[in-house]
């Protein structure tokens, strides 16, 4: 059977060497790109951790982005060297952004290095794996300024209510949602897995990316298998290929068909039990 994620675009990974808890060396980064290529990735955006509060401290901002620039140059050089050394080797194209920790809900994103491939989209997360009750305010702020926030791994937050109401308000404020591939196969625990599928069953997920930290292999292929097993090959293509391509083209995501409603019922029931502490 054909791979529904053939040529996928991954826009959440930690492959700039030595700048965060991802890849430690240029060699490890190239191995990571090989692992992505083995799964048919066409493009990988790498998104090191970055604190939003730095955007209002010019000296610290320049220093942090300078570290990223130097690491990025190492990554580009290592990739080029590998391609030169191995004729016929295929590696994904690489681009960059950051994973923006919203420790300040109203950051200045005017430096294009903070945004995904320098476009309007920005990959965001909230501190402490807790969604602030007014998270939509930050999303609204960003949209007002012309940016398009994508919330990274929403399924991993620990304080969802059973209606996922904060995420609902964030979506209404114009945020998009990126689920981690690993969550679909239980790599972030059973609760994140339940929420990830609940979001898919609601049709709220716009993108699937790996959040790959250069250890093991990217979870994308196994996550796509899990979707295919649930009869969601078309959704897998939209989440990993079509919508990320639109993001790089500066276009918003197309709707993703909710996963099977009957199954949604059982996942919701389990989620509700879990949240209520009966599971
Ligand atoms: Fe990440």
């Amino acid at each position: 059977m054909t791979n529904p994620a053939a040529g996928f675009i991954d826009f959440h990974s930690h492959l700039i060497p030595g700048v965060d808890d991802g890849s430690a060396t240029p060699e490890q980064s190239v191995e990571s790109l090989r692992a992505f290529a083995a799964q048919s990735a066409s493009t990988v955006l790498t998104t090191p951790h970055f604190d939003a509060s730095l955007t209002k401290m010019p000296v610290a901002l320049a220093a942090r982005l300078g570290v990223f620039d130097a690491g990025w140059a190492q990554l580009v050089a290592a990739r080029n060297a590998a391609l030169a050394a191995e004729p016929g080797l295929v590696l994904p194209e690489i681009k960059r952004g950051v994973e923006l920790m919203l420790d300040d809900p109203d950051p200045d994103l005017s430096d294009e290095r903070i945004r995904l491939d320098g476009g309007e989209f920005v990959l965001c997360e909230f501190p402490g794996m807790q969604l602030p009750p007014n998270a939509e305010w930050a999303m609204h702020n960003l949209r007002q300024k012309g940016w398009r926030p994508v919330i990274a791994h929403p399924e991993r937050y620990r304080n969802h209510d059973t209606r996922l109401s904060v995420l609902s308000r964030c979506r209404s404020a114009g945020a998009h949602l990126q689920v981690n591939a690993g969550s679909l196969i239980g790599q972030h625990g059973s609760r994140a897995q339940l929420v990830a599928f609940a979001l898919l069953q609601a049709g709220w997920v716009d993108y699937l990316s790996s959040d790959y930290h250069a250890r093991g292999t990217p979870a994308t292929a196994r996550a796509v298998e899990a979707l295919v097993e649930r009869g969601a090959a078309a959704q897998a293509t939209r989440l990993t290929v079509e919508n990320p391509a639109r993001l790089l083209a500066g276009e918003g995501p197309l709707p993703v068909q909710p996963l099977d409603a009957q199954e949604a019922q059982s996942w919701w029931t389990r989620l509700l039990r879990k949240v209520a502490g009966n599971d």
Side-chain angles (χ1 to χ4, degrees):
M1 144 184 184
T2 56
N3 173 10
F8 70 92
I9 297 166
D10 191 293
F11 64 75
H12 185 167
S13 67
H14 299 268
L15 302 186
I16 294 186
V19 302
D20 63 6
D21 57 345
S23 172
T25 65
E27 293 73 25
Q28 196 178 357
S29 300
V30 170
E31 284 308 305
S32 300
L33 292 176
R34 289 178 190 270
F36 273 114
Q39 295 188 13
S40 85
S42 64
T43 305
V44 171
L45 283 81
T46 189
T47 50
H49 293 291
F50 178 88
D51 290 341
S53 54
L54 288 181
T55 66
K56 293 178 179 167
M57 303 177 208
V59 175
L61 173 68
R64 184 70 172 145
L65 291 177
V67 168
F68 289 177
D69 289 347
W72 173 252
Q74 285 188 316
L75 173 58
V76 170
R79 178 179 176 279
N80 288 342
L83 290 170
E86 281 185 55
L89 176 65
V90 175
L91 295 175
E93 294 295 318
I94 52 173
K95 298 175 184 291
R96 61 186 278 198
V98 304
E99 183 175 13
L100 183 72
M101 173 65 76
L102 288 170
D103 59 343
D104 178 331
D106 191 22
D108 174 359
L109 304 187
S110 52
D111 192 307
E112 67 175 17
R113 292 171 290 181
I114 300 169
R115 307 185 316 258
L116 293 172
D117 194 31
E120 292 179 358
F121 291 83
V122 58
L123 184 65
C124 302
E125 64 175 338
F126 296 95
M129 281 296 166
Q130 299 283 321
L131 269 180
N134 59 348
E136 73 273 17
W137 189 74
M139 301 296 102
H140 182 73
N141 278 343
L142 293 173
R143 286 301 298 245
Q144 284 281 91
K145 291 179 176 169
W147 312 128
R148 305 196 67 161
V150 179
I151 299 178
H153 43 63
E155 73 282 3
R156 296 194 62 196
Y157 290 99
R158 301 194 186 101
N159 60 332
H160 290 298
D161 61 31
T162 54
R163 301 172 69 88
L164 302 171
S165 48
V166 178
L167 284 182
S168 176
R169 293 199 299 272
C170 285
R171 291 181 74 247
S172 296
H176 306 302
L177 303 187
Q178 174 259 305
V179 158
N180 275 6
S183 293
L184 300 193
I185 55 171
Q187 284 186 345
H188 298 303
S190 59
R191 195 174 189 287
Q193 188 177 29
L194 285 169
V195 176
F197 276 101
L199 290 169
L200 285 165
Q201 284 147 355
W204 286 9
V205 185
D206 300 293
Y207 311 101
L208 189 73
S209 279
S210 67
D211 196 3
Y212 185 53
H213 278 66
R215 289 181 287 279
T217 55
T220 312
R222 278 177 292 160
V224 168
E225 272 177 39
L227 289 172
V228 170
E229 280 170 16
R230 287 165 183 266
Q235 288 93 329
T237 302
R238 183 145 289 179
L239 291 163
T240 61
V241 181
E242 294 169 350
N243 278 347
R246 291 176 64 87
L247 181 148
L248 288 181
E251 297 167 341
L254 295 172
V256 176
Q257 183 79 10
L259 261 63
D260 179 79
Q262 202 166 7
E263 193 152 24
Q265 187 64 38
S266 70
W267 280 100
W268 269 112
T269 305
R270 288 173 59 188
L271 174 65
L272 289 169
R273 278 202 207 114
K274 197 148 193 104
V275 169
N278 300 325
D279 196 326

mmCIF file of all heavy atoms in Angstrom, residues 12-14 47 49 99 123 125 152-153 180 211-213, ligand 1:
data_model
loop_
_atom_site.group_PDB
_atom_site.id
_atom_site.type_symbol
_atom_site.label_atom_id
_atom_site.label_comp_id
_atom_site.label_asym_id
_atom_site.label_seq_id
_atom_site.Cartn_x
_atom_site.Cartn_y
_atom_site.Cartn_z
ATOM 1 N N HIS A 12 8.350 20.494 13.612
ATOM 2 C CA HIS A 12 8.670 20.586 15.041
ATOM 3 C C HIS A 12 9.745 19.552 15.361
ATOM 4 O O HIS A 12 9.464 18.351 15.431
ATOM 5 C CB HIS A 12 7.399 20.331 15.868
ATOM 6 C CG HIS A 12 7.603 20.518 17.337
ATOM 7 N ND1 HIS A 12 6.557 20.590 18.231
ATOM 8 C CD2 HIS A 12 8.731 20.652 18.087
ATOM 9 C CE1 HIS A 12 7.024 20.747 19.458
ATOM 10 N NE2 HIS A 12 8.352 20.781 19.395
ATOM 11 N N SER A 13 10.977 20.029 15.547
ATOM 12 C CA SER A 13 12.083 19.116 15.880
ATOM 13 C C SER A 13 13.212 19.929 16.518
ATOM 14 O O SER A 13 13.216 21.161 16.467
ATOM 15 C CB SER A 13 12.596 18.413 14.620
ATOM 16 O OG SER A 13 13.215 19.358 13.760
ATOM 17 N N HIS A 14 14.149 19.209 17.106
ATOM 18 C CA HIS A 14 15.237 19.849 17.856
ATOM 19 C C HIS A 14 16.575 19.332 17.329
ATOM 20 O O HIS A 14 17.213 18.478 17.935
ATOM 21 C CB HIS A 14 15.042 19.589 19.352
ATOM 22 C CG HIS A 14 13.756 20.162 19.862
ATOM 23 N ND1 HIS A 14 13.671 21.436 20.396
ATOM 24 C CD2 HIS A 14 12.488 19.676 19.857
ATOM 25 C CE1 HIS A 14 12.408 21.696 20.724
ATOM 26 N NE2 HIS A 14 11.677 20.640 20.406
ATOM 27 N N THR A 47 13.273 23.464 15.392
ATOM 28 C CA THR A 47 12.627 24.499 16.226
ATOM 29 C C THR A 47 13.147 24.447 17.660
ATOM 30 O O THR A 47 12.492 23.909 18.556
ATOM 31 C CB THR A 47 11.103 24.273 16.218
ATOM 32 O OG1 THR A 47 10.843 22.891 16.538
ATOM 33 C CG2 THR A 47 10.487 24.587 14.878
ATOM 34 N N HIS A 49 14.124 25.312 21.520
ATOM 35 C CA HIS A 49 13.374 25.987 22.587
ATOM 36 C C HIS A 49 13.840 27.437 22.719
ATOM 37 O O HIS A 49 15.034 27.740 22.669
ATOM 38 C CB HIS A 49 13.593 25.258 23.910
ATOM 39 C CG HIS A 49 12.991 23.895 23.929
ATOM 40 N ND1 HIS A 49 11.636 23.680 23.936
ATOM 41 C CD2 HIS A 49 13.547 22.663 23.922
ATOM 42 C CE1 HIS A 49 11.380 22.386 23.948
ATOM 43 N NE2 HIS A 49 12.523 21.737 23.933
ATOM 44 N N GLU A 99 10.598 26.869 18.889
ATOM 45 C CA GLU A 99 9.438 26.495 19.696
ATOM 46 C C GLU A 99 9.353 27.549 20.792
ATOM 47 O O GLU A 99 10.183 27.587 21.709
ATOM 48 C CB GLU A 99 9.612 25.095 20.280
ATOM 49 C CG GLU A 99 8.391 24.641 21.070
ATOM 50 C CD GLU A 99 8.490 23.202 21.553
ATOM 51 O OE1 GLU A 99 9.592 22.602 21.494
ATOM 52 O OE2 GLU A 99 7.462 22.672 22.001
ATOM 53 N N LEU A 123 5.349 28.597 16.130
ATOM 54 C CA LEU A 123 5.071 27.413 16.946
ATOM 55 C C LEU A 123 5.189 27.799 18.420
ATOM 56 O O LEU A 123 6.242 28.262 18.857
ATOM 57 C CB LEU A 123 6.097 26.321 16.596
ATOM 58 C CG LEU A 123 5.922 24.957 17.265
ATOM 59 C CD1 LEU A 123 4.629 24.281 16.814
ATOM 60 C CD2 LEU A 123 7.129 24.064 16.931
ATOM 61 N N GLU A 125 4.273 27.196 22.764
ATOM 62 C CA GLU A 125 3.854 26.337 23.870
ATOM 63 C C GLU A 125 3.721 27.208 25.120
ATOM 64 O O GLU A 125 4.190 28.343 25.164
ATOM 65 C CB GLU A 125 4.836 25.186 24.094
ATOM 66 C CG GLU A 125 6.211 25.619 24.522
ATOM 67 C CD GLU A 125 7.110 24.423 24.854
ATOM 68 O OE1 GLU A 125 6.593 23.335 25.147
ATOM 69 O OE2 GLU A 125 8.335 24.612 24.826
ATOM 70 N N ALA A 152 1.858 23.883 19.953
ATOM 71 C CA ALA A 152 2.557 22.595 19.901
ATOM 72 C C ALA A 152 1.965 21.637 20.940
ATOM 73 O O ALA A 152 1.583 22.052 22.036
ATOM 74 C CB ALA A 152 4.045 22.804 20.181
ATOM 75 N N HIS A 153 1.900 20.387 20.561
ATOM 76 C CA HIS A 153 1.442 19.277 21.415
ATOM 77 C C HIS A 153 0.380 19.668 22.446
ATOM 78 O O HIS A 153 0.608 19.518 23.665
ATOM 79 C CB HIS A 153 2.625 18.576 22.097
ATOM 80 C CG HIS A 153 3.692 19.465 22.669
ATOM 81 N ND1 HIS A 153 3.446 20.344 23.693
ATOM 82 C CD2 HIS A 153 5.002 19.600 22.369
ATOM 83 C CE1 HIS A 153 4.557 20.978 23.991
ATOM 84 N NE2 HIS A 153 5.520 20.551 23.195
ATOM 85 N N ASN A 180 1.704 15.893 18.582
ATOM 86 C CA ASN A 180 2.944 15.138 18.398
ATOM 87 C C ASN A 180 2.651 13.725 17.905
ATOM 88 O O ASN A 180 1.766 13.032 18.443
ATOM 89 C CB ASN A 180 3.692 15.016 19.735
ATOM 90 C CG ASN A 180 4.572 16.209 20.025
ATOM 91 O OD1 ASN A 180 4.560 17.201 19.294
ATOM 92 N ND2 ASN A 180 5.343 16.126 21.093
ATOM 93 N N ASP A 211 8.249 16.481 16.925
ATOM 94 C CA ASP A 211 8.941 16.973 18.132
ATOM 95 C C ASP A 211 10.164 16.082 18.418
ATOM 96 O O ASP A 211 10.487 15.803 19.575
ATOM 97 C CB ASP A 211 7.985 16.998 19.336
ATOM 98 C CG ASP A 211 8.498 17.843 20.496
ATOM 99 O OD1 ASP A 211 9.564 18.460 20.356
ATOM 100 O OD2 ASP A 211 7.827 17.854 21.541
ATOM 101 N N TYR A 212 10.835 15.686 17.347
ATOM 102 C CA TYR A 212 11.958 14.740 17.460
ATOM 103 C C TYR A 212 13.159 15.412 18.130
ATOM 104 O O TYR A 212 13.578 16.497 17.730
ATOM 105 C CB TYR A 212 12.321 14.243 16.062
ATOM 106 C CG TYR A 212 13.382 13.184 16.005
ATOM 107 C CD1 TYR A 212 13.285 12.022 16.759
ATOM 108 C CD2 TYR A 212 14.470 13.321 15.143
ATOM 109 C CE1 TYR A 212 14.248 11.037 16.679
ATOM 110 C CE2 TYR A 212 15.438 12.333 15.049
ATOM 111 C CZ TYR A 212 15.314 11.200 15.825
ATOM 112 O OH TYR A 212 16.280 10.221 15.735
ATOM 113 N N HIS A 213 13.699 14.729 19.143
ATOM 114 C CA HIS A 213 14.846 15.251 19.896
ATOM 115 C C HIS A 213 16.137 14.497 19.574
ATOM 116 O O HIS A 213 17.054 14.455 20.402
ATOM 117 C CB HIS A 213 14.560 15.188 21.398
ATOM 118 C CG HIS A 213 13.727 16.336 21.911
ATOM 119 N ND1 HIS A 213 12.411 16.531 21.540
ATOM 120 C CD2 HIS A 213 14.027 17.364 22.751
ATOM 121 C CE1 HIS A 213 11.942 17.617 22.145
ATOM 122 N NE2 HIS A 213 12.884 18.147 22.877
HETATM 123 FE FE1 LIG B 1 9.549 20.565 20.999
#
